Amino acid sequence: MTKSKSIKWFNLNRSLHRDIGYFCIGMTLVFAISGIALNHIHQWNSNYNVTQKKVKVEFLETKIKQSNFEHSLLAELNEQGIIKARFWQDENTLKLFIKNKTLFVLPKQNLIIIEEIKPRFLLRNLNFLHLNEAKKAWTWFSDFYALLLIFLAISSLFMVKGKKSVTGTRGFIILAGFIAPAGFVFYYAS
Amino acid sequence: MKYCFKLSVVIGYLLMFGINVYAKEINGGADMSKLTPISKILATPENYYKQPATISGTVVKVCKKRGCWMQLATDKAYETLTIKVPDGEMVFPMTAMGKTAYATGTLKAIEMSLEQTNQRLKMKAMPAVTKPMTLYRFSPTGVTIVD
C-alpha cells in the first residue's frame, strides 16, 4: 500500500515537471535571450539600430535663414514626413525631428547628420518584458513564472531514483550550482 | 493539437504588439493637474524638491542604451532639463525624440565642483566660470509621451 502510494507521487512529480517544463519554455527563452542582450548592452545596443549618415549641403548658413528652409531641406535630402519639433542644441547645432530620425544641422560646416533609430522588433520587446516595463499584470505573470521555476528546481530532485539520484555522486552537481554563484559573491562583493 | 499551437502563436504576437500600445504612459502617466512651466520651477527650485510638479517639453535626447534618462527642451534657448530614473525603474524609448513628454515628479539639486562645472560648459562650447554651479535633475514618478 505504502509502495504504490509513493510510486504515484513519483509519477505525478515527473508529469508535473514535464508539463510545467513545457509551459516554461517560452518564458525561459524570453528571459534567457534578453538576459544575454541586456548583459552586453554596453557593447551592442539590442534595443535600437542607430545609424548615422553625413550629407554635405552647400550654402547651409545662408539657406537656414530662408523662411522655407525646413521644407526645402527635406526635399533636398529626399526625406519624407513632417518636422515634428526643432531645437537649437547650441549656437552651432540645430536639431530637427522627423519620425524616427533626427537631423543635426551644422550650418558652419555645411553638414547635415541624419541619425535614424530603428527599434529591433524581437529584442526590443524581449527586453521590454525582462525589464518589466509593462508592469501591471506582467509583474504577476512573471512572479508566477518564477514560482514555476522554483517548482522545476525542487521537483528535479525527485525525478530519478537509485544510483543516478541526487543522493549519489550527482549530488555534487547540485552543490556546484550553489558554489558557483557563492564564489562570485565571495570574489567580487567582499 | 494544431489548433492549440496556432492559438498560442496568435496570443504571443498579440501580447507583443499589445505591449507597445500601452507604452506611451510610463508608470501610470503624468498628473496633468500639476502642470508647471520648467522656467518657473528653475526660478525657485527649492520649492520643488519635495512638492511634486508636472513639467512638459520636447524630448531632445534619450539615453541610447538603457533609456534611463531623457532631456526636455525648456522655453530658454539651448537649455534642457534632464529627467533621470534609476536603471530599470522606467525605460524611456528612443523613439520619443521629437515628441512631447509630460513628467510628474520632484526636482533634485546636484552641487558640482568648479572643475565639473567647467567641464560641462566646455562640452557645450560655453565660456568657463569662476564659481561652481548647481545641476538640476528631475526625478519622475510618472511620464506621458505624446506624439
Side-chain angles (χ1 to χ4, degrees):
Chain A
M1 188 71 186
T2 317
K3 194 181 177 188
S4 71
K5 205 177 177 183
S6 80
I7 288 168
K8 272 185 188 171
W9 276 111
F10 181 77
N11 287 341
L12 180 67
N13 180 56
R14 283 179 72 91
S15 302
L16 281 173
H17 186 94
R18 180 197 62 213
D19 293 341
I20 290 172
Y22 288 156
F23 179 73
C24 286
I25 289 173
M27 288 284 281
T28 304
L29 289 176
V30 166
F31 279 100
I33 294 168
S34 55
I36 296 169
L38 289 169
N39 265 354
H40 298 278
I41 202 145
H42 289 291
Q43 286 108 30
W44 183 69
N45 192 339
S46 53
N47 286 321
Y48 303 98
N49 181 21
V50 183
T51 53
Q52 282 194 344
K53 190 172 84 176
K54 289 180 181 177
V55 181
K56 279 274 177 191
V57 175
E58 292 296 316
F59 312 113
L60 196 53
E61 225 171 343
T62 314
K63 285 177 180 173
I64 203 166
K65 290 169 188 160
Q66 292 168 353
S67 59
N68 66 338
F69 164 69
E70 291 176 358
H71 187 261
S72 59
L73 180 72
L74 290 184
E76 195 171 343
L77 296 172
N78 207 16
E79 289 292 342
Q80 306 294 319
I82 52 158
I83 291 172
K84 292 192 290 185
R86 53 201 58 74
F87 173 68
W88 278 98
Q89 186 175 281
D90 52 55
E91 282 179 2
N92 306 316
T93 317
L94 170 67
K95 277 181 170 182
L96 298 173
F97 299 98
I98 56 176
K99 196 175 184 225
N100 291 338
K101 280 183 189 175
T102 304
L103 310 180
F104 294 80
V105 182
L106 304 160
K108 282 185 180 167
Q109 298 170 47
N110 287 327
L111 183 69
I112 307 282
I113 300 169
I114 305 166
E115 188 179 77
E116 188 172 10
I117 301 150
K118 282 184 190 164
R120 298 182 199 275
F121 173 74
L122 184 67
L123 284 172
R124 171 74 194 107
N125 283 308
L126 297 184
N127 292 349
F128 179 94
L129 295 173
H130 193 126
L131 294 175
N132 193 13
E133 289 178 49
K135 308 243 190 268
K136 299 170 188 168
W138 176 253
T139 306
W140 296 104
F141 187 70
S142 47
D143 283 351
F144 173 63
Y145 167 69
L147 289 172
L148 294 182
L149 281 186
I150 292 169
F151 171 80
L152 288 178
I154 293 168
S155 62
S156 71
L157 299 172
F158 310 103
M159 293 286 286
V160 181
K161 285 177 174 177
K163 218 169 69 177
K164 291 184 180 175
S165 75
V166 293
T167 52
T169 50
R170 275 166 177 78
F172 288 109
I173 300 174
I174 296 170
L175 201 61
F178 281 98
I179 288 170
F184 283 105
V185 171
F186 179 75
Y187 187 77
Y188 290 110
S190 56
Chain B
M1 196 61 197
K2 269 187 182 174
Y3 175 76
C4 275
F5 179 72
K6 279 180 187 169
L7 187 68
S8 54
V9 168
V10 170
I11 290 170
Y13 270 93
L14 282 175
L15 281 171
M16 286 281 195
F17 282 110
I19 283 156
N20 283 332
V21 174
Y22 297 105
K24 286 175 186 172
E25 281 205 340
I26 305 166
N27 237 20
D31 179 356
M32 298 302 185
S33 68
K34 291 187 168 70
L35 207 57
T36 315
I38 294 177
S39 55
K40 192 182 168 189
I41 292 173
L42 293 179
T44 53
E46 62 283 354
N47 291 350
Y48 298 93
Y49 293 157
K50 284 182 181 169
Q51 182 196 327
T54 300
I55 58 166
S56 76
T58 303
V59 180
V60 294
K61 211 172 183 183
V62 182
C63 169
K64 284 179 182 175
K65 297 288 170 75
R66 295 193 177 272
C68 59
W69 58 261
M70 59 181 178
Q71 286 180 347
L72 301 193
T74 71
D75 42 354
K76 272 188 180 176
Y78 319 133
E79 191 183 64
T80 58
L81 181 62
T82 301
I83 294 179
K84 173 83 178 83
V85 290
D87 274 5
E89 200 172 277
M90 287 184 213
V91 180
F92 305 125
M94 264 199 94
T95 47
M97 292 231 278
K99 295 178 184 175
T100 304
Y102 297 85
T104 304
T106 50
L107 199 66
K108 245 186 185 175
I110 300 162
E111 302 295 338
M112 292 191 290
S113 67
L114 185 61
E115 196 187 346
Q116 287 170 324
T117 303
N118 283 327
Q119 265 178 358
R120 284 187 73 84
L121 291 172
K122 196 180 171 186
M123 271 163 55
K124 289 184 176 179
M126 288 167 82
V129 291
T130 50
K131 279 184 179 175
M133 289 163 70
T134 307
L135 180 72
Y136 293 105
R137 276 188 176 162
F138 199 77
S139 304
T141 51
V143 174
T144 302
I145 296 165
V146 181
D147 204 353

